Amino acid sequence: VYKLDDWSLVSQHNLMVPHASIQQIRSSPSGDYLAIRYIFPAAGCHYNKILVLHYPEFTEVLQVDVRGAYWPVSELVNMQVFPRFSLSESCFVVFVYKLPNELRSLQDLCRKAILHLVTSKDIPKLPLPLTVKKYLTQHAV
């Protein structure tokens, strides 16, 4: 951690994995917490972790391992799915998308995501074209 005015080192911590690369940082509404998403190389690929630190001590509050989970490549999407703090800071939310071992089709993945959130009896209420509603109700996941 460096001061902005003279870039002097204020604090140094080794809470992350060696060779980690910070991708995003977000502070909580009051500034008491920092959420840091970083990636690190292991087993031939890069893994994502999210670390929540208490500020200004930079002590670890929470670490979320999202290994094996999909993380969007687009920075615009990254900013939308990056962890969020509630206004009271009593909650911290992370959305992680786990890909199946066998990728079928984009339609199957979308259907699975929709049916995970919506019951089959509520599908007719969705603002979707009739052909999509039929697709959702006729195919078991």
Side-chain angles (χ1 to χ4, degrees):
V1 179
Y2 296 91
K3 286 184 181 178
L4 285 178
D5 55 352
D6 63 359
W7 291 101
S8 61
L9 183 67
V10 175
S11 181
Q12 184 174 2
H13 301 276
N14 293 319
L15 296 173
M16 294 186 292
V17 178
H19 307 293
S21 171
I22 294 175
Q23 301 296 304
Q24 293 168 287
I25 297 175
R26 174 171 286 158
S27 68
S28 63
S30 71
D32 289 341
Y33 300 97
L34 288 175
I36 303 166
R37 180 175 69 91
Y38 63 96
I39 59 173
F40 63 96
C45 57
H46 287 84
Y47 292 113
N48 281 285
K49 278 200 176 186
I50 298 168
L51 179 64
V52 179
L53 302 174
H54 189 268
Y55 181 82
E57 298 85 18
F58 295 103
T59 54
E60 182 179 332
V61 175
L62 172 72
Q63 192 159 155
V64 181
D65 187 346
V66 289
R67 191 178 308 213
Y70 168 71
W71 198 275
V73 177
S74 162
E75 284 305 312
L76 176 63
V77 176
N78 270 335
M79 294 311 293
Q80 293 170 356
V81 299
F82 188 65
R84 305 247 184 240
F85 292 93
S86 66
L87 290 177
S88 66
E89 297 183 357
S90 61
C91 296
F92 177 72
V93 178
V94 178
F95 294 97
V96 176
Y97 304 93
K98 179 84 171 161
L99 290 175
N101 291 336
E102 180 183 315
L103 291 176
R104 294 178 290 242
S105 68
L106 180 59
Q107 290 88 350
D108 287 336
L109 291 173
C110 292
R111 179 179 57 231
K112 186 174 183 175
I114 291 169
L115 293 176
H116 180 74
L117 298 171
V118 179
T119 63
S120 57
K121 68 176 182 162
D122 290 333
I123 289 176
K125 300 174 189 174
L126 294 174
L128 297 171
L130 183 59
T131 54
V132 175
K133 291 179 188 180
K134 284 181 181 178
Y135 180 77
L136 290 171
T137 56
Q138 290 176 353
H139 295 83
V141 177

